Amino acid sequence: MNINPSAIPPLAPELVEQFRKIVGEKHAITDAADIEAYVTEERNLFHGRSPLVLRPGSTAEVSEICKLATAHRVALVPQGGNTGLVGGQTPHNGEVVVSLRRLDRIREVDTASNTMTCEAGVVLQIAQQKAAEFDRLFPLSLGAEGSCTIGGNLSTNAGGTAALAYGVAREMALGLEVVLADGRILNVLSKLKKDNTGYNLHNLFIGAEGTLGIITAATLKLFPKPRAIETAFVGLKSPEAALRLLAIAQSEAANALTSFELLSELAVDFSIRHGIDVRDPLQDKHAWYVLIELSAAGEDARAPLEAILTRAMEDEIVDDAVIAANLSQRAGFWKLRDEMSSAQKPEGGSIKHDISVPVAAVPAFIAEANAAVVKLIPGARPVPFGHLGDGNLHYNVSQPVGADSADFLARWHEMNAVVFAIVLRMGGSISAEHGIGVLKRDELPEVKDKTAIELMRAIKAMLDPLGIMNPGKVL
């Protein structure tokens, strides 16, 4: 019989003591004040509760935790950097939190095979820096890279700003080490690019949000470190113009095009107004902006970037542009982009959507969605921005000026229905890179193929028959 996540019984003191013996006295947290950081998340959208946070220091300890949890039907919530945006890492009903932050070793960097084996608690930025020490690139890049972890990135199949060139987290992992619900350790930490020995098991756990097992380590792909990086900030009139610019950039730069971010005027305005030390790179305001970056294996990325912008200006696609003159200016461009989510907070309630549609459909989606949400809530302010190069938009909607935030946020699912209807009609996805968690769990059966949902439930039942792994999430 599976655990009902809304009816989880209190944890007996003797069971707490058994868990404590596995991880050690100081790594079993029971004080409510100390637990608070593990049950809240950065947007304050979810607030959970937990009687116990366990901080294992090895895969063996994770295994022992799972064995004990299975024996006593104790529900577990795996957690990395606690930066998730859909409530997947939150213990909503009194589950035990298993924090992977102490599993923070980089076990190996193999430059011959261009791989790096990291434990789940390694912070993404640390992984990037370690790769750079070996003159390699680990290209996964997110706004939360200073605090999110490799295990969390893989569990949510994170995307980021370089997905256009390198793909999402799933495409950067060659193998995993995973602890199953019953404590068995699945070791498929392969460095091989070619391995046709049956089912590709490690992919089951990427994007599963901890509902099938706990990722404890991963073998990641590394890439040659670019010798030249050039970044431009561009002003233009419309998403249609941005799409034309993307076509030119792909034609002129091919594989050197690593990022192509579409930013609405309101998103840029919020970032400049509310961000810390954020400036407008262009002299005049524009209806839309693009942040474009080229990375070259050779010594020159500037010439192709200049060629792209020259051609776009001659074709009257681009109204203005500036190329970063140095690393500081490049960092300023990206800071403006990275501040966009947090800069919406001072504007009140924000209903957020992480969607994807075919790249060619992005302009039509924005036009339809903008009209639909304003019709639903007059005065609502759409704040679309995101990864135009792969069709992934963060379609956020800020409350009307002066409106009551609670009243606005109470219409979250109502607005979801309006936006998701347009997404699905255009052949898109309601979750591009943030996952399902609890935020989109109830919508998933309505948008996912029925047979796919049945298979997902069957896999869950096989790997986690008691339902102790992150119950109530995804399914």
Side-chain angles (χ1 to χ4, degrees):
M1 181 178 177
N2 287 350
I3 286 176
N4 179 354
S6 63
I8 294 174
L11 205 59
E14 57 270 22
L15 197 51
V16 172
E17 188 57 34
Q18 290 182 62
F19 278 119
R20 193 190 309 275
K21 288 179 180 178
I22 294 173
V23 298
E25 181 73 26
K26 67 179 181 179
H27 299 301
I29 303 171
T30 55
D31 181 77
D34 294 333
I35 286 175
E36 186 66 19
Y38 297 88
V39 299
T40 57
E41 46 85 47
E42 61 183 35
R43 293 198 319 209
N44 294 319
L45 192 61
F46 304 102
H47 190 283
R49 57 186 177 87
S50 176
L52 176 66
V53 174
L54 299 172
R55 301 176 69 248
S58 67
T59 300
E61 289 183 2
V62 177
S63 174
E64 291 303 311
I65 289 169
C66 289
K67 288 177 183 178
L68 185 59
T70 292
H72 294 273
R73 297 197 174 193
V74 175
L76 304 175
V77 174
Q79 189 180 100
N82 194 17
T83 60
L85 299 173
V86 293
Q89 80 281 18
T90 304
H92 296 278
N93 300 287
E95 302 93 333
V96 170
V97 174
V98 181
S99 171
L100 282 302
R101 295 180 196 177
R102 288 183 62 223
L103 272 69
D104 60 357
R105 288 190 307 123
I106 296 176
R107 296 181 183 176
E108 181 189 38
V109 177
D110 184 342
T111 56
S113 62
N114 277 317
T115 62
M116 175 168 60
T117 302
C118 293
E119 292 184 340
V122 172
V123 172
L124 174 55
Q125 192 171 69
I126 299 299
Q128 296 167 342
Q129 292 169 352
K130 177 59 71 172
E133 290 176 14
F134 288 82
D135 199 32
R136 296 294 188 273
L137 172 72
F138 182 59
L140 187 63
S141 182
L142 316 172
E145 61 193 29
S147 52
C148 65
T149 62
I150 293 299
N153 297 150
L154 292 169
S155 291
T156 57
N157 191 25
T161 56
L164 171 62
Y166 298 101
V168 296
R170 184 186 303 280
E171 295 163 280
M172 299 181 198
L174 288 169
L176 298 180
E177 177 185 84
V178 182
V179 176
L180 302 180
D182 60 9
R184 287 179 295 164
I185 299 172
L186 173 67
N187 189 331
V188 283
L189 284 170
S190 173
K191 299 180 184 179
L192 303 176
K193 291 185 178 180
K194 295 180 178 179
D195 183 359
N196 279 331
T197 53
Y199 303 144
N200 190 334
L201 295 176
H202 79 271
N203 263 323
L204 277 175
F205 301 92
I206 300 175
E209 302 182 47
T211 61
L212 301 179
I214 300 177
I215 296 173
T216 52
T219 304
L220 307 171
K221 294 180 185 177
L222 301 181
F223 297 83
K225 189 177 179 181
R227 300 302 175 204
I229 299 175
E230 296 288 347
T231 312
F233 197 81
V234 178
L236 30 67
K237 291 183 176 64
S238 66
E240 288 83 2
L243 199 59
R244 292 173 65 194
L245 177 60
L246 175 62
I248 292 173
Q250 290 173 324
S251 174
E252 295 282 348
N255 293 335
L257 179 63
T258 47
S259 296
F260 197 96
E261 299 289 295
L262 177 67
L263 319 170
S264 66
E265 179 185 13
L266 194 55
V268 170
D269 181 57
F270 284 176
S271 194
I272 292 169
R273 274 198 278 151
H274 303 301
I276 299 172
D277 195 27
V278 175
R279 295 178 176 84
D280 191 338
L282 300 177
Q283 185 173 351
D284 299 318
K285 286 190 174 184
H286 298 268
W288 290 87
Y289 300 86
V290 164
L291 178 57
I292 180 173
E293 188 160 277
L294 270 58
S295 303
E299 297 299 324
D300 184 24
R302 193 173 186 90
L305 183 55
E306 289 177 344
I308 291 166
L309 297 176
T310 298
R311 181 175 161 189
M313 286 183 172
E314 289 173 350
D315 292 347
E316 298 183 346
I317 296 169
V318 166
D319 296 329
D320 196 8
V322 59
I323 298 176
N326 49 50
L327 290 176
S328 177
Q329 194 172 22
R330 173 179 178 259
F333 291 178
W334 278 108
K335 185 173 177 60
L336 187 153
R337 163 64 181 87
D338 291 340
E339 291 275 337
M340 285 184 175
S341 292
S342 60
Q344 292 168 54
K345 292 181 181 179
E347 295 292 328
S350 177
I351 297 177
K352 302 180 184 298
H353 307 88
D354 163 48
I355 62 92
S356 62
V357 294
V359 174
V362 168
F365 166 78
I366 292 173
E368 284 195 40
N370 284 359
V373 300
V374 172
K375 181 179 179 181
L376 177 69
I377 303 178
R381 296 171 291 166
V383 192
F385 63 95
H387 322 302
L388 177 61
D390 53 39
N392 172 201
L393 284 182
H394 301 298
Y395 187 77
N396 299 345
V397 184
S398 286
Q399 69 177 58
V401 175
D404 182 82
S405 294
D407 289 345
F408 178 74
L409 294 175
R411 304 187 71 178
W412 189 293
H413 291 289
E414 189 180 353
M415 185 172 288
N416 282 173
V418 169
V419 173
F420 291 164
I422 300 170
V423 169
L424 297 173
R425 181 159 36 81
M426 293 184 174
S429 169
I430 67 168
S431 181
E433 62 180 4
H434 291 167
I436 297 297
V438 296
L439 186 65
K440 303 177 185 178
R441 179 193 61 200
D442 294 340
E443 282 89 357
L444 188 62
E446 299 173 11
V447 302
K448 193 83 172 174
D449 176 78
K450 181 181 178 182
T451 301
I453 290 288
E454 290 173 353
L455 286 174
M456 289 170 64
R457 293 189 186 281
I459 292 168
K460 169 73 171 174
M462 179 188 69
L463 292 175
D464 182 23
L466 299 180
I468 67 169
M469 301 303 296
N470 216 4
K473 313 297 174 54
V474 184
L475 294 171

